[in-house]
Structures are given as C-alpha cells and as structure tokens.
Amino acid sequence: MTTPSYVVAPPAVLDPPRSVPTVVDEVTVRLVAGVVLAVGVVVLVSGRWWLYGLLAVDFALRAWGGPARSPLAQAVLRWLRPRVATAPRPTAFAPKRFAAGIGAVVSSAIVGLSLAGAPVAATVLVVAMIALPGLEAAFGFCVGCRVFAVLVRWGLLHDEVCVDCAPTRRPTPERVPADC
C-alpha cells in the first residue's frame, strides 16, 4: 500500500506549523477515534484519569498543527492504517480540527474534575468521550464536525475556514466532504 500524498512525515512536535492539511483520510480518522474510545474504556474501568491528560495534549497538538503533530495519529498511520485494506477516503480537515479542539477541552476538563475531587462529573464526561469517538469509529458520524457545519451555516465561523463546508459552495462529486 502506498502512502497517500496528504500523509506527511511528522515534523518536530513543537515547531510552528507552516500549514495544516485541508484534507485527511477518513479511514485514519476513524481508527484514531477507535483508539480514543479504547482509552476511554480503560479509564472508565481502571480510574486512571491521567490518561486523559495525554489525550488532551494529543488533541491539542492535532487541533493546532494537524495529524502530523499528533503522536497518536502518527502511531495509527504507522501501525494500524497499513493493516486496513480500505482505500483512503479524503475528507475536509477543518471540521476534524474543530472536533479535536473540543476533545482537548473535554479531556482537560476530565483531568481537572478528577483532580478537584469530582469523580462523578469526570465520569459523565468520560462516558461522553466514549460515546462520541464510538460514533466516529463505528459509523463515521462526527458530532463535533456536525457542530462545526452548523456554526459555518449560521455565520458564526467564517466560511473560508472550510471552503468545502461553506453553505454557498456546491461541492463537485470528487470533493464532497463527509462532514459538511
């Protein structure tokens, strides 16, 4: 299997991003969501809240600089994606980036709540962080991406953030983004 042109070697993690991709592979995104789901289950069963600290950093790196900055996405690209024989499915990155930002905030809240002695509230968020990546991994339904699309339609996000998601754009058949 050849590496798609939109998969790049990871730069040094803290170097400022020169550019983030406009398109990512939906199959890889779903595999990453599956790993996030698995971490959520481990946290729920074991109470190891600190794992969400690692996820918060990874989500933030992915939202800031794209999948090339995310150790989790890079691990999935190297070890899981080559074992999945499905052809790449390009999808717009901007909604996925927005969803990663939400993941960073919620993961940070889980750690904060657990440190503050509020395990019930942290557990509620962990359940959400199991359900939402579960929807993405199993069905390709990205809730954060849907929220992103609504914000673009309402004009709360500028439509140039994701040209393919803009309500005035008619995507061509070869450029129909999955989450817009």
PDB file of all heavy atoms in Angstrom, residues 18-50:
ATOM      1  N   ARG A  18       3.711  25.150   9.476  1.00  0.00           N
ATOM      2  CA  ARG A  18       3.744  26.003   8.282  1.00  0.00           C
ATOM      3  C   ARG A  18       2.385  25.971   7.605  1.00  0.00           C
ATOM      4  O   ARG A  18       1.931  26.944   7.064  1.00  0.00           O
ATOM      5  CB  ARG A  18       4.835  25.530   7.341  1.00  0.00           C
ATOM      6  CG  ARG A  18       6.211  25.787   7.903  1.00  0.00           C
ATOM      7  CD  ARG A  18       7.289  25.439   6.901  1.00  0.00           C
ATOM      8  NE  ARG A  18       8.585  25.706   7.464  1.00  0.00           N
ATOM      9  CZ  ARG A  18       9.289  24.831   8.177  1.00  0.00           C
ATOM     10  NH1 ARG A  18       8.809  23.630   8.398  1.00  0.00           N
ATOM     11  NH2 ARG A  18      10.461  25.145   8.668  1.00  0.00           N
ATOM     12  N   SER A  19       1.787  24.833   7.637  1.00  0.00           N
ATOM     13  CA  SER A  19       0.432  24.701   7.107  1.00  0.00           C
ATOM     14  C   SER A  19      -0.170  23.427   7.675  1.00  0.00           C
ATOM     15  O   SER A  19       0.545  22.514   8.067  1.00  0.00           O
ATOM     16  CB  SER A  19       0.448  24.649   5.581  1.00  0.00           C
ATOM     17  OG  SER A  19       1.077  23.463   5.143  1.00  0.00           O
ATOM     18  N   VAL A  20      -1.460  23.407   7.743  1.00  0.00           N
ATOM     19  CA  VAL A  20      -2.157  22.195   8.147  1.00  0.00           C
ATOM     20  C   VAL A  20      -2.860  21.672   6.902  1.00  0.00           C
ATOM     21  O   VAL A  20      -3.169  22.432   5.989  1.00  0.00           O
ATOM     22  CB  VAL A  20      -3.164  22.449   9.294  1.00  0.00           C
ATOM     23  CG1 VAL A  20      -2.441  22.818  10.567  1.00  0.00           C
ATOM     24  CG2 VAL A  20      -4.159  23.494   8.929  1.00  0.00           C
ATOM     25  N   PRO A  21      -3.127  20.391   6.865  1.00  0.00           N
ATOM     26  CA  PRO A  21      -3.768  19.851   5.662  1.00  0.00           C
ATOM     27  C   PRO A  21      -5.198  20.361   5.513  1.00  0.00           C
ATOM     28  O   PRO A  21      -5.848  20.719   6.497  1.00  0.00           O
ATOM     29  CB  PRO A  21      -3.750  18.343   5.907  1.00  0.00           C
ATOM     30  CG  PRO A  21      -3.709  18.194   7.389  1.00  0.00           C
ATOM     31  CD  PRO A  21      -2.913  19.377   7.889  1.00  0.00           C
ATOM     32  N   THR A  22      -5.656  20.428   4.301  1.00  0.00           N
ATOM     33  CA  THR A  22      -7.065  20.751   4.073  1.00  0.00           C
ATOM     34  C   THR A  22      -7.885  19.474   3.976  1.00  0.00           C
ATOM     35  O   THR A  22      -9.099  19.503   4.138  1.00  0.00           O
ATOM     36  CB  THR A  22      -7.240  21.574   2.781  1.00  0.00           C
ATOM     37  OG1 THR A  22      -6.666  20.850   1.699  1.00  0.00           O
ATOM     38  CG2 THR A  22      -6.578  22.933   2.914  1.00  0.00           C
ATOM     39  N   VAL A  23      -7.199  18.372   3.722  1.00  0.00           N
ATOM     40  CA  VAL A  23      -7.860  17.076   3.535  1.00  0.00           C
ATOM     41  C   VAL A  23      -7.113  16.025   4.342  1.00  0.00           C
ATOM     42  O   VAL A  23      -5.884  16.047   4.409  1.00  0.00           O
ATOM     43  CB  VAL A  23      -7.858  16.689   2.038  1.00  0.00           C
ATOM     44  CG1 VAL A  23      -8.420  15.300   1.818  1.00  0.00           C
ATOM     45  CG2 VAL A  23      -8.626  17.707   1.217  1.00  0.00           C
ATOM     46  N   VAL A  24      -7.858  15.130   4.962  1.00  0.00           N
ATOM     47  CA  VAL A  24      -7.280  13.987   5.679  1.00  0.00           C
ATOM     48  C   VAL A  24      -8.017  12.720   5.256  1.00  0.00           C
ATOM     49  O   VAL A  24      -9.078  12.780   4.637  1.00  0.00           O
ATOM     50  CB  VAL A  24      -7.359  14.167   7.210  1.00  0.00           C
ATOM     51  CG1 VAL A  24      -6.428  15.272   7.677  1.00  0.00           C
ATOM     52  CG2 VAL A  24      -8.770  14.412   7.681  1.00  0.00           C
ATOM     53  N   ASP A  25      -7.451  11.586   5.618  1.00  0.00           N
ATOM     54  CA  ASP A  25      -8.043  10.293   5.290  1.00  0.00           C
ATOM     55  C   ASP A  25      -9.075   9.918   6.352  1.00  0.00           C
ATOM     56  O   ASP A  25      -8.740   9.759   7.532  1.00  0.00           O
ATOM     57  CB  ASP A  25      -6.937   9.238   5.211  1.00  0.00           C
ATOM     58  CG  ASP A  25      -7.453   7.833   4.988  1.00  0.00           C
ATOM     59  OD1 ASP A  25      -8.564   7.674   4.423  1.00  0.00           O
ATOM     60  OD2 ASP A  25      -6.749   6.882   5.368  1.00  0.00           O
ATOM     61  N   GLU A  26     -10.312   9.783   5.942  1.00  0.00           N
ATOM     62  CA  GLU A  26     -11.411   9.447   6.855  1.00  0.00           C
ATOM     63  C   GLU A  26     -11.177   8.109   7.553  1.00  0.00           C
ATOM     64  O   GLU A  26     -11.524   7.948   8.733  1.00  0.00           O
ATOM     65  CB  GLU A  26     -12.738   9.414   6.080  1.00  0.00           C
ATOM     66  CG  GLU A  26     -13.939   9.039   6.905  1.00  0.00           C
ATOM     67  CD  GLU A  26     -14.348  10.093   7.919  1.00  0.00           C
ATOM     68  OE1 GLU A  26     -13.980  11.268   7.765  1.00  0.00           O
ATOM     69  OE2 GLU A  26     -15.035   9.730   8.890  1.00  0.00           O
ATOM     70  N   VAL A  27     -10.582   7.152   6.874  1.00  0.00           N
ATOM     71  CA  VAL A  27     -10.329   5.844   7.476  1.00  0.00           C
ATOM     72  C   VAL A  27      -9.361   5.990   8.647  1.00  0.00           C
ATOM     73  O   VAL A  27      -9.577   5.431   9.731  1.00  0.00           O
ATOM     74  CB  VAL A  27      -9.781   4.853   6.426  1.00  0.00           C
ATOM     75  CG1 VAL A  27      -9.454   3.509   7.062  1.00  0.00           C
ATOM     76  CG2 VAL A  27     -10.782   4.681   5.288  1.00  0.00           C
ATOM     77  N   THR A  28      -8.303   6.766   8.458  1.00  0.00           N
ATOM     78  CA  THR A  28      -7.338   7.003   9.537  1.00  0.00           C
ATOM     79  C   THR A  28      -7.998   7.730  10.697  1.00  0.00           C
ATOM     80  O   THR A  28      -7.766   7.395  11.867  1.00  0.00           O
ATOM     81  CB  THR A  28      -6.129   7.797   9.010  1.00  0.00           C
ATOM     82  OG1 THR A  28      -5.546   7.082   7.920  1.00  0.00           O
ATOM     83  CG2 THR A  28      -5.096   8.011  10.093  1.00  0.00           C
ATOM     84  N   VAL A  29      -8.834   8.717  10.395  1.00  0.00           N
ATOM     85  CA  VAL A  29      -9.543   9.464  11.438  1.00  0.00           C
ATOM     86  C   VAL A  29     -10.402   8.511  12.275  1.00  0.00           C
ATOM     87  O   VAL A  29     -10.424   8.591  13.504  1.00  0.00           O
ATOM     88  CB  VAL A  29     -10.414  10.578  10.817  1.00  0.00           C
ATOM     89  CG1 VAL A  29     -11.352  11.181  11.840  1.00  0.00           C
ATOM     90  CG2 VAL A  29      -9.533  11.646  10.188  1.00  0.00           C
ATOM     91  N   ARG A  30     -11.067   7.585  11.617  1.00  0.00           N
ATOM     92  CA  ARG A  30     -11.917   6.640  12.339  1.00  0.00           C
ATOM     93  C   ARG A  30     -11.093   5.679  13.189  1.00  0.00           C
ATOM     94  O   ARG A  30     -11.510   5.292  14.287  1.00  0.00           O
ATOM     95  CB  ARG A  30     -12.817   5.895  11.364  1.00  0.00           C
ATOM     96  CG  ARG A  30     -13.886   6.818  10.786  1.00  0.00           C
ATOM     97  CD  ARG A  30     -14.753   6.158   9.763  1.00  0.00           C
ATOM     98  NE  ARG A  30     -15.631   5.178  10.392  1.00  0.00           N
ATOM     99  CZ  ARG A  30     -16.543   4.484   9.723  1.00  0.00           C
ATOM    100  NH1 ARG A  30     -16.699   4.674   8.425  1.00  0.00           N
ATOM    101  NH2 ARG A  30     -17.297   3.613  10.343  1.00  0.00           N
ATOM    102  N   LEU A  31      -9.919   5.310  12.718  1.00  0.00           N
ATOM    103  CA  LEU A  31      -9.033   4.462  13.516  1.00  0.00           C
ATOM    104  C   LEU A  31      -8.525   5.208  14.750  1.00  0.00           C
ATOM    105  O   LEU A  31      -8.455   4.636  15.845  1.00  0.00           O
ATOM    106  CB  LEU A  31      -7.856   3.973  12.663  1.00  0.00           C
ATOM    107  CG  LEU A  31      -8.206   2.954  11.578  1.00  0.00           C
ATOM    108  CD1 LEU A  31      -7.011   2.743  10.648  1.00  0.00           C
ATOM    109  CD2 LEU A  31      -8.663   1.637  12.185  1.00  0.00           C
ATOM    110  N   VAL A  32      -8.172   6.480  14.590  1.00  0.00           N
ATOM    111  CA  VAL A  32      -7.753   7.298  15.730  1.00  0.00           C
ATOM    112  C   VAL A  32      -8.906   7.374  16.742  1.00  0.00           C
ATOM    113  O   VAL A  32      -8.695   7.233  17.950  1.00  0.00           O
ATOM    114  CB  VAL A  32      -7.304   8.705  15.281  1.00  0.00           C
ATOM    115  CG1 VAL A  32      -7.127   9.636  16.475  1.00  0.00           C
ATOM    116  CG2 VAL A  32      -6.016   8.631  14.469  1.00  0.00           C
ATOM    117  N   ALA A  33     -10.125   7.573  16.256  1.00  0.00           N
ATOM    118  CA  ALA A  33     -11.286   7.617  17.147  1.00  0.00           C
ATOM    119  C   ALA A  33     -11.445   6.295  17.899  1.00  0.00           C
ATOM    120  O   ALA A  33     -11.816   6.281  19.078  1.00  0.00           O
ATOM    121  CB  ALA A  33     -12.553   7.946  16.362  1.00  0.00           C
ATOM    122  N   GLY A  34     -11.144   5.193  17.242  1.00  0.00           N
ATOM    123  CA  GLY A  34     -11.211   3.890  17.896  1.00  0.00           C
ATOM    124  C   GLY A  34     -10.215   3.777  19.044  1.00  0.00           C
ATOM    125  O   GLY A  34     -10.524   3.219  20.107  1.00  0.00           O
ATOM    126  N   VAL A  35      -9.022   4.336  18.859  1.00  0.00           N
ATOM    127  CA  VAL A  35      -8.027   4.330  19.931  1.00  0.00           C
ATOM    128  C   VAL A  35      -8.497   5.215  21.090  1.00  0.00           C
ATOM    129  O   VAL A  35      -8.377   4.840  22.262  1.00  0.00           O
ATOM    130  CB  VAL A  35      -6.645   4.771  19.403  1.00  0.00           C
ATOM    131  CG1 VAL A  35      -5.646   4.910  20.542  1.00  0.00           C
ATOM    132  CG2 VAL A  35      -6.126   3.781  18.356  1.00  0.00           C
ATOM    133  N   VAL A  36      -9.054   6.388  20.771  1.00  0.00           N
ATOM    134  CA  VAL A  36      -9.583   7.275  21.818  1.00  0.00           C
ATOM    135  C   VAL A  36     -10.700   6.570  22.581  1.00  0.00           C
ATOM    136  O   VAL A  36     -10.777   6.652  23.813  1.00  0.00           O
ATOM    137  CB  VAL A  36     -10.070   8.614  21.209  1.00  0.00           C
ATOM    138  CG1 VAL A  36     -10.796   9.461  22.252  1.00  0.00           C
ATOM    139  CG2 VAL A  36      -8.896   9.382  20.615  1.00  0.00           C
ATOM    140  N   LEU A  37     -11.555   5.864  21.880  1.00  0.00           N
ATOM    141  CA  LEU A  37     -12.617   5.073  22.507  1.00  0.00           C
ATOM    142  C   LEU A  37     -12.016   4.041  23.457  1.00  0.00           C
ATOM    143  O   LEU A  37     -12.470   3.895  24.598  1.00  0.00           O
ATOM    144  CB  LEU A  37     -13.451   4.391  21.420  1.00  0.00           C
ATOM    145  CG  LEU A  37     -14.384   3.260  21.838  1.00  0.00           C
ATOM    146  CD1 LEU A  37     -15.529   3.797  22.660  1.00  0.00           C
ATOM    147  CD2 LEU A  37     -14.904   2.553  20.597  1.00  0.00           C
ATOM    148  N   ALA A  38     -10.993   3.325  23.008  1.00  0.00           N
ATOM    149  CA  ALA A  38     -10.355   2.307  23.845  1.00  0.00           C
ATOM    150  C   ALA A  38      -9.746   2.923  25.107  1.00  0.00           C
ATOM    151  O   ALA A  38      -9.881   2.367  26.201  1.00  0.00           O
ATOM    152  CB  ALA A  38      -9.284   1.567  23.042  1.00  0.00           C
ATOM    153  N   VAL A  39      -9.103   4.080  24.972  1.00  0.00           N
ATOM    154  CA  VAL A  39      -8.542   4.767  26.144  1.00  0.00           C
ATOM    155  C   VAL A  39      -9.667   5.132  27.111  1.00  0.00           C
ATOM    156  O   VAL A  39      -9.526   4.965  28.326  1.00  0.00           O
ATOM    157  CB  VAL A  39      -7.734   6.013  25.720  1.00  0.00           C
ATOM    158  CG1 VAL A  39      -7.369   6.871  26.930  1.00  0.00           C
ATOM    159  CG2 VAL A  39      -6.479   5.606  24.960  1.00  0.00           C
ATOM    160  N   GLY A  40     -10.786   5.600  26.586  1.00  0.00           N
ATOM    161  CA  GLY A  40     -11.924   5.943  27.442  1.00  0.00           C
ATOM    162  C   GLY A  40     -12.429   4.752  28.232  1.00  0.00           C
ATOM    163  O   GLY A  40     -12.736   4.872  29.425  1.00  0.00           O
ATOM    164  N   VAL A  41     -12.498   3.608  27.597  1.00  0.00           N
ATOM    165  CA  VAL A  41     -12.946   2.396  28.292  1.00  0.00           C
ATOM    166  C   VAL A  41     -11.943   2.013  29.379  1.00  0.00           C
ATOM    167  O   VAL A  41     -12.337   1.670  30.502  1.00  0.00           O
ATOM    168  CB  VAL A  41     -13.172   1.240  27.286  1.00  0.00           C
ATOM    169  CG1 VAL A  41     -13.411  -0.075  28.001  1.00  0.00           C
ATOM    170  CG2 VAL A  41     -14.340   1.566  26.358  1.00  0.00           C
ATOM    171  N   VAL A  42     -10.653   2.102  29.061  1.00  0.00           N
ATOM    172  CA  VAL A  42      -9.623   1.796  30.063  1.00  0.00           C
ATOM    173  C   VAL A  42      -9.759   2.731  31.264  1.00  0.00           C
ATOM    174  O   VAL A  42      -9.695   2.295  32.417  1.00  0.00           O
ATOM    175  CB  VAL A  42      -8.208   1.880  29.442  1.00  0.00           C
ATOM    176  CG1 VAL A  42      -7.125   1.873  30.524  1.00  0.00           C
ATOM    177  CG2 VAL A  42      -7.988   0.740  28.458  1.00  0.00           C
ATOM    178  N   VAL A  43      -9.975   4.014  31.006  1.00  0.00           N
ATOM    179  CA  VAL A  43     -10.126   4.990  32.102  1.00  0.00           C
ATOM    180  C   VAL A  43     -11.370   4.663  32.924  1.00  0.00           C
ATOM    181  O   VAL A  43     -11.329   4.688  34.155  1.00  0.00           O
ATOM    182  CB  VAL A  43     -10.187   6.432  31.559  1.00  0.00           C
ATOM    183  CG1 VAL A  43     -10.606   7.416  32.644  1.00  0.00           C
ATOM    184  CG2 VAL A  43      -8.847   6.827  30.964  1.00  0.00           C
ATOM    185  N   LEU A  44     -12.461   4.350  32.263  1.00  0.00           N
ATOM    186  CA  LEU A  44     -13.704   4.056  32.970  1.00  0.00           C
ATOM    187  C   LEU A  44     -13.548   2.826  33.869  1.00  0.00           C
ATOM    188  O   LEU A  44     -14.024   2.813  35.005  1.00  0.00           O
ATOM    189  CB  LEU A  44     -14.836   3.852  31.966  1.00  0.00           C
ATOM    190  CG  LEU A  44     -16.250   3.891  32.504  1.00  0.00           C
ATOM    191  CD1 LEU A  44     -16.554   5.239  33.154  1.00  0.00           C
ATOM    192  CD2 LEU A  44     -17.235   3.630  31.380  1.00  0.00           C
ATOM    193  N   VAL A  45     -12.854   1.811  33.375  1.00  0.00           N
ATOM    194  CA  VAL A  45     -12.683   0.571  34.132  1.00  0.00           C
ATOM    195  C   VAL A  45     -11.624   0.715  35.227  1.00  0.00           C
ATOM    196  O   VAL A  45     -11.803   0.225  36.339  1.00  0.00           O
ATOM    197  CB  VAL A  45     -12.314  -0.588  33.172  1.00  0.00           C
ATOM    198  CG1 VAL A  45     -11.896  -1.836  33.929  1.00  0.00           C
ATOM    199  CG2 VAL A  45     -13.482  -0.891  32.252  1.00  0.00           C
ATOM    200  N   SER A  46     -10.542   1.427  34.918  1.00  0.00           N
ATOM    201  CA  SER A  46      -9.394   1.468  35.839  1.00  0.00           C
ATOM    202  C   SER A  46      -9.320   2.719  36.708  1.00  0.00           C
ATOM    203  O   SER A  46      -8.611   2.730  37.712  1.00  0.00           O
ATOM    204  CB  SER A  46      -8.094   1.365  35.045  1.00  0.00           C
ATOM    205  OG  SER A  46      -7.871   2.563  34.310  1.00  0.00           O
ATOM    206  N   GLY A  47      -9.998   3.795  36.308  1.00  0.00           N
ATOM    207  CA  GLY A  47      -9.912   5.045  37.048  1.00  0.00           C
ATOM    208  C   GLY A  47      -8.604   5.788  36.833  1.00  0.00           C
ATOM    209  O   GLY A  47      -8.253   6.668  37.614  1.00  0.00           O
ATOM    210  N   ARG A  48      -7.883   5.475  35.794  1.00  0.00           N
ATOM    211  CA  ARG A  48      -6.603   6.132  35.507  1.00  0.00           C
ATOM    212  C   ARG A  48      -6.855   7.417  34.715  1.00  0.00           C
ATOM    213  O   ARG A  48      -6.615   7.494  33.513  1.00  0.00           O
ATOM    214  CB  ARG A  48      -5.672   5.192  34.759  1.00  0.00           C
ATOM    215  CG  ARG A  48      -5.333   3.976  35.570  1.00  0.00           C
ATOM    216  CD  ARG A  48      -4.428   3.032  34.819  1.00  0.00           C
ATOM    217  NE  ARG A  48      -4.374   1.752  35.483  1.00  0.00           N
ATOM    218  CZ  ARG A  48      -3.447   1.408  36.358  1.00  0.00           C
ATOM    219  NH1 ARG A  48      -2.514   2.257  36.676  1.00  0.00           N
ATOM    220  NH2 ARG A  48      -3.468   0.224  36.912  1.00  0.00           N
ATOM    221  N   TRP A  49      -7.315   8.432  35.449  1.00  0.00           N
ATOM    222  CA  TRP A  49      -7.721   9.703  34.841  1.00  0.00           C
ATOM    223  C   TRP A  49      -6.593  10.383  34.093  1.00  0.00           C
ATOM    224  O   TRP A  49      -6.828  11.124  33.147  1.00  0.00           O
ATOM    225  CB  TRP A  49      -8.266  10.647  35.912  1.00  0.00           C
ATOM    226  CG  TRP A  49      -9.388  10.069  36.703  1.00  0.00           C
ATOM    227  CD1 TRP A  49      -9.317   9.560  37.970  1.00  0.00           C
ATOM    228  CD2 TRP A  49     -10.734   9.908  36.286  1.00  0.00           C
ATOM    229  NE1 TRP A  49     -10.543   9.098  38.362  1.00  0.00           N
ATOM    230  CE2 TRP A  49     -11.445   9.305  37.346  1.00  0.00           C
ATOM    231  CE3 TRP A  49     -11.421  10.209  35.110  1.00  0.00           C
ATOM    232  CZ2 TRP A  49     -12.786   9.003  37.274  1.00  0.00           C
ATOM    233  CZ3 TRP A  49     -12.774   9.914  35.047  1.00  0.00           C
ATOM    234  CH2 TRP A  49     -13.436   9.316  36.111  1.00  0.00           C
ATOM    235  N   TRP A  50      -5.354  10.167  34.521  1.00  0.00           N
ATOM    236  CA  TRP A  50      -4.203  10.826  33.913  1.00  0.00           C
ATOM    237  C   TRP A  50      -4.074  10.504  32.425  1.00  0.00           C
ATOM    238  O   TRP A  50      -3.476  11.278  31.678  1.00  0.00           O
ATOM    239  CB  TRP A  50      -2.916  10.471  34.666  1.00  0.00           C
ATOM    240  CG  TRP A  50      -2.608   9.004  34.682  1.00  0.00           C
ATOM    241  CD1 TRP A  50      -2.987   8.099  35.623  1.00  0.00           C
ATOM    242  CD2 TRP A  50      -1.861   8.285  33.705  1.00  0.00           C
ATOM    243  NE1 TRP A  50      -2.534   6.848  35.294  1.00  0.00           N
ATOM    244  CE2 TRP A  50      -1.837   6.936  34.115  1.00  0.00           C
ATOM    245  CE3 TRP A  50      -1.225   8.636  32.521  1.00  0.00           C
ATOM    246  CZ2 TRP A  50      -1.195   5.943  33.389  1.00  0.00           C
ATOM    247  CZ3 TRP A  50      -0.582   7.650  31.787  1.00  0.00           C
ATOM    248  CH2 TRP A  50      -0.564   6.323  32.221  1.00  0.00           C
TER     249      TRP A  50
END
